[in-house]
Structure formats: structure tokens, C-alpha cells
Amino acid sequence: MKRAVCIALAAAAPLLAQAQETTLRVVSAFPENQFYVKRTIEWIDKINREGKGVLQINFIGGPKAIPTFEVGKAVQSGVVDIGFTTGAFYTNVMPEADILKLSETSAAEQRKNGGYELINKIWAEKANMRYLAKVVEFTPFHLYLNRKIDKPDLTGLKIRITPVYREFFQSMNASVMTTAPGEVYTALERGVIDGYGWPIHALFDLNWQEKTKYRVDPGFYNAEVGLIMNLDKYKSLPAKAREYLERQALAYERQNDFWKSYNQNEAKRQAEAGIQTITFDAATSKAYVEKANEVGWANAIKASPQYGPQLRKVLAK
Ligand code: 173
């Protein structure tokens, strides 16, 4: 009898170990053919290789699985565990999400100056989320156009936006239209828009260089792409799985210097593809960037009188 119990326990041991392994479901708000997503899938592959028996991640897909602007809600409600997205795509969960674009301090600095804790306080309280890591930064946004301008005036132009650019482009009299990245190519092809806001990089991933004539320099703000997780799921993880996930997320974030050289090369590629730059005189350029920041913070504080000013302390320099 005793022996039988021993044998039964021995047989169950691997099953018990397996029961400790957690599997998380991840979706991307960016199209799967974007380099961002490929890089994230490589990160997931590494997690799965090294995390056997502890943590596995199942990549569900891009906007075909969950539409770009619904990923935040899916993470908030726990329909998925983790979202790969940017704050501008989940302002329908909380307006604070889009404020991260105003970061002048780096993710590494925000881990030290209280920024990371503040972000997680807000994300937990208002969105039922844990902000795991920022994995794109050091990346300005630009205005791309198919019509030439000689001053920062967009009167009569229809520009594709997300919340990132709305108030800034409207302050230059643009008429604006919000779309997910996956719809920009067709809008350009059909001439529905005269331009769009987008980072300095990742144009080629979606072939937009084929339909783009000009880039306005300088850029403004600082693109943020991150990994957000359902807070209940995060809290329910076994300690070992949570530590492992956090370690891997931090290791991914620590590679962000990668974007500095990548972006230089992307600007070069744009020039080689025939995209011309539109620049203004020095005073106008300076005013352009200052206006972006002014409009950005004014809107952030209006949208979140409670947290806008607190975020400013840790994000601005
Ligand atoms: O333009 C966008 O779709 C957008 O808001 C964004 C934000 C961060 C990275 C890439 C795009």
C-alpha cells in the first residue's frame, strides 16, 4: 500500500511541475509585418526557450485578432493577458496613456526617478493594468506630406492622425482623420489624405515610402511602445513566473539604445527612397517644436488634471 502511494506520487511529480507553468496570451496593436512585432516575437521565443516549466507566452496575432484601438480594452478586461501597443491606441481606457509620448527622460531614468512607479500607480488605478516595459523610445514623430508647405500651416490639408498628433496638427489648422496604421496605405493610395503623422522609423515595414513625397523636419515628441498586462493576471502569477517575466521585460527595455542607430539609418533610407525633407528657418523650427510640447502638455493637463502635472515632473526635463 505504502509503495503504491509512492509510485503514484512519483508519477504525478512531472504533472505537478507542469501545473506550475503559466501560459500568457499576447496580442499586438501593430500589424504583424511591422519590424516592432517581429522583434517582440523574437523576445517571446527567447522567453519560451528559457522559461520551460515556468512561463510560456502564446502570441495570438495583430489587429486581425483584436483591432488596434481595442487592444487596451482587451487587456483591461482580461480578454488577453498582455498587449503590445502604444498609449495613443488606448486613450479609450484612460487619457493618461497618451501622455507618455511627452517623455524627455528615458525609460531607464523613469525607473530611477519615481516615474515607473507613478505610471504603474495610474495604470493600475485607472486601467487595471501593469506597465511591464517600454520597448520603443528615442524616436521622434514626424509629419509626412504629399503636398509641399513652406510654413507650418496645414490649412486645407487632410492629415491622418492618432491621438498623438491631434491637437498639434489641429493647432496648424489641419483637418484630421484617425486611422489605425493598417489603413494608412490605402488612404494614401486613394488620395483620401494629404499626409500623416508617424515616427521616423517603420515606414518601410508598411510600404508607405511608395506613397510619400515629403517629411517635415524636425521631429517632435518621443514615440513610446510598451508591453501592458492585465493587473489581475499579473497579481495571480506564481512568484517565479512573475519574477521571470519582469526580468525578461526589463532586459528588453534595456536594449532601447538600439533605436538610436536604427533611426539614423531609417532617415537615410527615406532619403534614398526619394522622400524629400521640408525644413523651415531656425526660428520657425524652434517655434514648431515648442508649440508641439506646449499643446501636448496643455492637453495632457486638461485631460488629466489629477495626474497630468505629476507625470510632467517625471517625464519632462
Ligand atoms: O501614428 C501612430 O499610429 C502612432 O500613434 C504611433 C505611436 C507609437 C509608435 C508608432 C506609431
Side-chain angles (χ1 to χ4, degrees), residues 9-271:
L9 279 177
L15 284 175
L16 285 173
Q18 220 169 32
Q20 287 293 310
E21 187 182 271
T22 310
T23 300
L24 300 175
R25 292 153 48 88
V26 176
V27 292
S28 167
F30 292 97
E32 275 181 61
N33 46 348
Q34 242 185 278
F35 172 65
Y36 285 169
V37 186
K38 292 181 188 154
R39 199 165 171 262
T40 298
I41 290 173
E42 278 172 27
W43 174 73
I44 291 172
D45 288 344
K46 182 170 183 282
I47 289 196
N48 291 344
R49 273 197 313 276
E50 297 171 12
K52 294 208 170 71
V54 178
L55 183 75
Q56 295 290 291
I57 293 187
N58 186 0
F59 180 73
I60 306 292
K64 285 195 192 99
I66 307 243
T68 298
F69 295 109
E70 297 302 320
V71 168
K73 292 236 178 247
V75 174
Q76 179 186 33
S77 67
V79 166
V80 296
D81 302 315
I82 296 179
F84 176 68
T85 186
T86 179
F89 295 166
Y90 56 102
T91 53
N92 53 358
V93 176
M94 55 168 177
E96 286 84 357
D98 186 43
I99 300 178
L100 299 183
K101 72 185 178 196
L102 301 173
S103 288
E104 291 165 347
T105 53
S106 67
E109 286 165 328
Q110 289 166 18
R111 293 255 179 190
K112 290 187 196 138
N113 74 359
Y116 185 72
E117 281 79 24
L118 176 62
I119 288 166
N120 270 305
K121 175 182 182 266
I122 303 167
W123 264 235
E125 185 184 302
K126 299 201 72 173
N128 192 39
M129 286 177 193
R130 177 79 188 170
Y131 192 92
L132 292 174
K134 186 191 282 192
V135 298
V136 175
E137 62 176 325
F138 308 124
T139 298
F141 292 103
H142 285 260
L143 167 62
Y144 295 86
L145 289 173
N146 281 330
R147 296 219 230 145
K148 203 161 185 175
I149 55 170
D150 52 18
K151 57 180 190 302
D153 179 0
L154 304 175
T155 307
L157 299 186
K158 182 138 192 191
I159 311 292
R160 174 270 174 185
I161 57 153
T162 66
V164 166
Y165 325 92
R166 181 178 292 121
E167 285 75 20
F168 180 40
F169 291 177
Q170 281 177 335
S171 79
M172 296 183 280
N173 289 322
S175 102
V176 297
M177 182 178 114
T178 302
T179 84
E183 278 134 47
V184 174
Y185 186 92
T186 310
L188 287 167
E189 196 172 36
R190 297 195 181 147
V192 173
I193 51 173
D194 304 301
Y196 55 89
W198 191 247
I200 186 70
H201 62 211
L203 222 93
F204 293 90
D205 301 359
L206 302 165
N207 279 324
W208 298 353
Q209 80 285 357
E210 289 175 3
K211 306 285 172 197
T212 305
K213 290 195 185 134
Y214 307 104
R215 184 187 72 238
V216 176
D217 279 0
F220 52 90
Y221 303 152
N222 184 359
E224 167 269 344
V225 178
L227 291 157
I228 50 172
M229 179 165 183
N230 176 272
L231 187 63
D232 307 308
K233 190 75 186 190
Y234 173 81
K235 285 183 178 163
S236 78
L237 286 178
K240 220 174 146 190
R242 188 165 62 235
E243 281 156 24
Y244 178 65
L245 177 63
E246 281 187 334
R247 184 151 37 85
Q248 293 288 356
L250 183 60
Y252 194 8
E253 181 178 287
R254 282 189 174 147
Q255 290 166 26
N256 285 351
D257 270 350
F258 164 85
W259 295 110
K260 294 177 181 171
S261 56
Y262 186 82
N263 290 343
Q264 276 180 353
N265 195 50
E266 288 280 285
K268 213 170 107 210
R269 268 177 92 193
Q270 287 183 21

